[in-house]
Amino acid sequence: MAIVPAHIMRSVAGGFDNESVATTALVATFYCWVRALRDRPTARDGEATADSYAFGVLCGLAYVYMVSAWGGYVFVVNMIGAHAAALAAGGRYSSKLHRAYSLFYLIGTAGATRVPPVGLAPLRSLEQMLPLLVFLGVQLLEAVEVERRKKRLTPAQVWKRRGGGGGAGAA
């Protein structure tokens, strides 16, 4: 990133402004997000790990730092929301994703609303609705996952419940 010409101006090699600080916050947020989703060989059945909790919280805090440093925070929340949605749509959903995204979204949004220029924009702005919809969808998927584990449902039954819950959620 330091050698890409577009970023040189925004780094310590170029001029200094709030975007220089935001570059560190952006990278920290994405690092914590990816780290929260890292596979652990000892985890069974996609269950949440201590890393998904810890790095989910750190990701949310890094996002709050990003919000307070730069107005481009919308890019970060949308990219993480789009990544979580792509993982869920691609069949890579797990409780680890639920815990990491839920912690990121709740801590990050709560913190973002406390930054004076931002206020309630994360909840009102149309450009930030994708992450909110992903958050609600992840909650629905986790409810089905919990039921699947309790009742030992077959994959066909799980897809039927996901479809029924999605239809009810859309209504």
Side-chain angles (χ1 to χ4, degrees), residues 9-30:
M9 189 176 91
R10 306 272 191 258
S11 69
V12 291
F16 181 81
D17 62 356
N18 60 344
E19 292 173 346
S20 302
V21 176
T23 303
T24 304
L26 179 119
V27 172
T29 305
F30 286 142

Side-chain angles (χ1 to χ4, degrees), residues 75-168:
F75 169 75
V76 176
V77 73
N78 281 326
M79 292 309 310
I80 291 178
H83 184 250
L87 288 174
R92 302 282 315 249
Y93 178 80
S94 66
S95 290
K96 183 173 40 182
L97 175 65
H98 171 260
R99 299 300 188 281
Y101 190 75
S102 295
L103 287 167
F104 158 74
Y105 187 78
L106 290 174
I107 292 170
T109 303
T113 60
R114 307 310 312 153
V115 175
V118 176
L120 292 177
L123 303 174
R124 291 183 184 166
S125 172
L126 189 59
E127 62 187 0
Q128 295 181 55
M129 284 298 123
L130 171 69
L132 175 61
L133 293 174
V134 171
F135 175 73
L136 297 174
V138 165
Q139 303 313 309
L140 176 70
L141 288 173
E142 184 62 17
V144 172
E145 268 307 292
V146 168
E147 190 175 0
R148 178 189 67 83
R149 287 189 197 115
K150 284 183 183 177
K151 296 182 179 180
R152 300 181 192 271
L153 300 174
T154 65
Q157 292 171 319
V158 170
W159 279 105
K160 185 176 179 182
R161 295 194 186 209
R162 283 180 181 168

